[in-house]
Amino acid sequence: MNIAVIGAGYVGLVTAAGLAHLGHTVKLGEANPDRVASLEAGEVPIFEVGLAPLLEAARGTGRISFHISNPTAVKDADLVFLCLPTPADATGRADLSFIRRVVDELALVVEPETILVVKSTVPPGTTVALHKRLADLGSSARLVAHPEFLREGTAVEDFLQPDRIVVGAFETLDADAVSALYADFGVPVVQTDPTSAEMIKYASNSYLAARLTFANALANLSEAVGADIVDVLEGVGLDHRIGPHFLKPGPGYGGSCFPKDTLALIEVAADAGYDFRLLRAVIEADEEQRQRIATKVKNAAGGDLNGRTVGLWGLAFKAGTDDVRESPATRIARLLIDQGARVQAFDPEASAPGILSTGSPLEAVDGADVLLIATEWPEFTTIDLGEVRNRMRGRTVVDARNLLDPATVRGAGLEYFGLGRS
Ligand code: UGA
């Protein structure tokens, strides 16, 4: 098939490279000329495991090309994937201006039978509204809601081995055309109406956010009553109705998706006359979790952060990415800095404005009163803890990811505070 992908962000790039890998001819449309130039020069503008070789292979077969002009990219396309950002606006609602602008731009340019595929996360009802917009503009282009479920860091794997495919269409024929792309994957395909497809995406992200916030709450409670959260969640997760995934306590959820999607769903609910109190409580508890970690660090530093140095391992919102958007690590770092601490950070991939980055995990703990582990990079488990102790001024490790083995840390002469572990 001839496929256009509009937007060379992480969803667009992975989708384009993945579709080319499946044998389709893909034209990628991107408004940022620097990004197009870098892609044409063989560079990969984002860090995503497995993306570089997939793009390289696509270039090698000549099945992928890059375009600044969207009308050029969609010429002769059977399907046009819209992979555009939908950031939260000042009210928490999803900002649909990028997607509306591109739909307007393409309405009369695409062939009448072309299917526009909405990959971006958009609030329930958006595809119906865009459909009307196309009709008002005199376009007979078709429209399908086809949400993505890619995780940063494992996006290529998620594209090639998804749990499920969701296609929301007005016509069965359009749903079948999109579903056919994944015929060889052998995974369940949910064909539904566009609004339900959009709802599946928000429901999935909000449920996952609520689930891990619940695990954080259980960790806090376990700490208070003297239970061990690792054992508690192992026991809970073995119930097949619950399962073991997404139950790791941490400093709260971050990234470009959960924070904005939970906020947006609350606004969708409010606009529809439903007060989604449960989800509001999740967002509140998530922010409390960041503050709780900052308080743990403050207590570990003797109750006052003024003039204290905190070594910080991790800036990215999770391991496997350089993304610091809504990162709990950077939020906690700023809470500590605001209370007078000097924060010395190390992250293998990420950096953040206003937070001092050092060249290695050991440099980050030089003269530190407390070490805070905020991102679960596996390489942090192999650092020589004896050397960490030698370089630190203090002796305390606050492990906000339960990444290290408490006995090993204590064996190195350090004090260990995890989450939900006595
Ligand atoms: C999330 C969803 O998992 C994807 O399915 C979805 O496609 C994507 O959002 C999106 O909407 O585009 P992502 O933002 O990459 O993917 O991050 P996750 O891997 O889901 O992690 C989210 C946050 O939860 C991270 O801060 C992570 O550290 C935290 N987390 C996750 C925990 O604290 N504990 C867990 O057990 C799992």
Side-chain angles (χ1 to χ4, degrees), residues 10-11 121 148-153 158 164 201 205 208 212 216 245-258 260-261 317-319 328 376 401:
Y10 98 97
V11 173
T121 300
E148 57 86 13
F149 299 98
L150 309 176
R151 290 165 298 171
E152 286 185 46
D158 291 343
R164 78 308 206 179
K201 174 60 192 265
N205 275 4
L208 289 169
L212 72 90
N216 285 341
H245 304 291
F246 246 81
L247 280 181
K248 280 208 195 88
Y253 56 78
S256 62
C257 305
F258 286 6
K260 93 173 158 60
D261 293 350
F317 82 94
K318 64 174 184 179
E376 74 283 24
R401 292 284 184 171

Side-chain angles (χ1 to χ4, degrees), residues 21-359:
H21 172 81
L22 296 179
H24 304 288
T25 301
V26 180
K27 292 184 186 166
L28 187 49
E30 163 62 45
N32 177 346
D34 293 341
R35 190 158 273 218
V36 172
S38 109
L39 284 163
E40 276 176 339
E43 291 159 14
V44 184
I46 57 164
F47 171 74
E48 186 61 46
V49 177
L51 179 59
L54 209 63
L55 269 177
E56 196 47 52
R59 280 195 196 92
T61 56
R63 280 204 288 264
I64 196 161
S65 58
F66 310 101
H67 307 267
I68 297 172
S69 151
N70 289 337
T72 308
V74 303
K75 197 170 177 329
D76 302 326
D78 305 301
L79 300 172
V80 177
F81 278 65
L82 303 175
C83 302
L84 296 151
T86 53
D89 69 13
T91 67
R93 288 175 177 79
D95 174 359
L96 299 175
S97 56
F98 295 100
I99 210 154
R100 286 200 192 107
R101 212 174 303 139
V102 169
V103 165
D104 288 358
E105 182 190 16
L106 299 184
L108 297 175
V109 176
V110 292
E111 299 295 323
E113 290 309 305
T114 302
I115 303 176
L116 301 182
V117 181
V118 181
K119 252 306 181 196
S120 312
T121 300
V122 292
T126 302
T127 303
V128 169
L130 290 173
H131 195 237
K132 184 170 177 311
R133 201 174 174 97
L134 281 172
D136 290 348
L137 290 166
S139 168
S140 56
R142 317 177 77 85
L143 209 52
V144 166
H146 174 36
E148 57 86 13
F149 299 98
L150 309 176
R151 290 165 298 171
E152 286 185 46
T154 52
V156 169
E157 185 189 320
D158 291 343
F159 181 89
L160 297 172
Q161 294 162 340
D163 287 346
R164 78 308 206 179
I165 299 292
V166 174
V167 185
F170 298 100
E171 309 284 343
T172 311
L173 216 62
D174 299 340
D176 289 344
V178 174
S179 305
L181 293 172
Y182 310 99
D184 294 341
F185 285 12
V187 299
V189 177
V190 178
Q191 289 194 358
T192 180
D193 62 276
T195 303
S196 302
E198 293 160 341
M199 188 65 189
I200 289 170
K201 174 60 192 265
Y202 276 95
S204 301
N205 275 4
S206 297
Y207 175 73
L208 289 169
R211 183 177 160 101
L212 72 90
T213 304
F214 191 75
N216 285 341
L218 290 179
N220 298 338
L221 181 57
S222 294
E223 215 168 281
V225 300
D228 185 326
I229 192 64
V230 177
D231 293 348
V232 170
L233 290 176
E234 187 192 350
V236 169
L238 281 168
D239 184 326
H240 78 275
R241 295 168 304 173
I242 298 175
H245 304 291
F246 246 81
L247 280 181
K248 280 208 195 88
Y253 56 78
S256 62
C257 305
F258 286 6
K260 93 173 158 60
D261 293 350
T262 45
L263 277 175
L265 193 56
I266 283 173
E267 295 307 326
V268 166
D271 291 348
Y274 177 66
D275 181 4
F276 206 152
R277 287 170 61 196
L278 179 64
L279 197 53
R280 282 200 284 119
V282 166
I283 293 174
E284 219 172 281
D286 185 61
E287 171 55 18
E288 264 173 38
Q289 187 70 3
R290 291 155 167 70
Q291 302 194 0
R292 224 185 136 79
I293 306 292
T295 304
K296 258 181 194 273
V297 173
K298 181 172 143 190
N299 292 341
D304 186 359
L305 285 165
N306 242 318
R308 300 292 184 163
T309 299
V310 177
L312 173 63
W313 285 0
L315 287 168
F317 82 94
K318 64 174 184 179
T321 175
D322 61 355
D323 196 343
V324 294
R325 281 176 290 177
E326 302 289 334
S327 170
T330 61
R331 167 90 180 116
I332 295 165
R334 294 196 174 102
L335 287 172
L336 300 174
I337 292 168
D338 286 350
Q339 293 174 71
R342 170 189 163 81
V343 173
Q344 307 175 158
F346 172 77
D347 188 288
E349 295 295 337
S351 62
I355 302 173
L356 175 73
S357 275
T358 64

